[in-house]
Amino acid sequence: QVQLVESGGGLVQAGGSLRLSCAASGSIFIINRMEWYRQTPGKQRELVGNIGSGGSTNYADSVKGRFTISRDNAKNTVYLQMNSLKPEDTAVYRCNADVTVKDGRTYRYWGQGTQVTVSS
């Protein structure tokens, strides 16, 4: 079994920054792609961005130039650095990871989410 735990959410003023972390633990052989999603009540879940095992990244247009995804493979952790935050960035942020476990199979795991609130 693999667990993902997000941290780093909170309340911040518009224009401020936050860094979210998503740490994976458990029966991990290798972590492949990792993603960040966000969701606001009444809206569809939005892919914020992702990072491949080699470090290549992709971002939603709404966050390009403001958000940066990175990973520390030694710590099995992915980060989401959010700068120049806007009220419309307010959401629950969740990470997921495609993990190859020790029996050789690959599964997608999700974290529980962390709330980010940006005040105007």
Side-chain angles (χ1 to χ4, degrees):
Q1 188 62 283
V2 174
Q3 296 80 39
L4 300 184
V5 178
E6 297 102 336
S7 60
L11 174 64
V12 64
Q13 287 189 330
S17 298
L18 281 176
R19 188 175 85 152
L20 306 184
S21 300
C22 171
S25 62
S27 182
I28 298 168
F29 178 66
I30 189 169
I31 300 178
N32 304 295
R33 185 176 60 187
M34 306 180 83
E35 297 181 323
W36 285 98
Y37 278 83
R38 63 186 181 185
Q39 187 156 23
T40 304
K43 291 186 179 180
Q44 277 193 328
R45 185 174 61 189
E46 178 186 21
L47 175 63
V48 175
N50 56 43
I51 184 166
S53 56
S56 61
T57 54
N58 294 287
Y59 299 96
D61 287 343
S62 58
V63 306
K64 272 181 188 174
R66 300 187 299 122
F67 291 10
T68 302
I69 298 174
S70 60
R71 62 191 289 169
D72 184 335
N73 292 330
K75 296 181 178 179
N76 290 333
T77 299
V78 63
Y79 303 97
L80 178 64
Q81 176 67 43
M82 304 185 293
N83 299 329
S84 302
L85 282 161
K86 305 174 181 179
E88 51 264 43
D89 294 319
T90 296
V92 174
Y93 286 73
R94 295 181 71 192
C95 65
N96 72 45
D98 292 334
V99 180
T100 301
V101 296
K102 292 180 180 177
D103 67 1
R105 287 178 283 188
T106 299
Y107 303 92
R108 176 162 294 182
Y109 296 92
W110 286 84
Q112 81 289 351
T114 186
Q115 176 70 46
V116 171
T117 302
V118 184
S119 63
S120 56

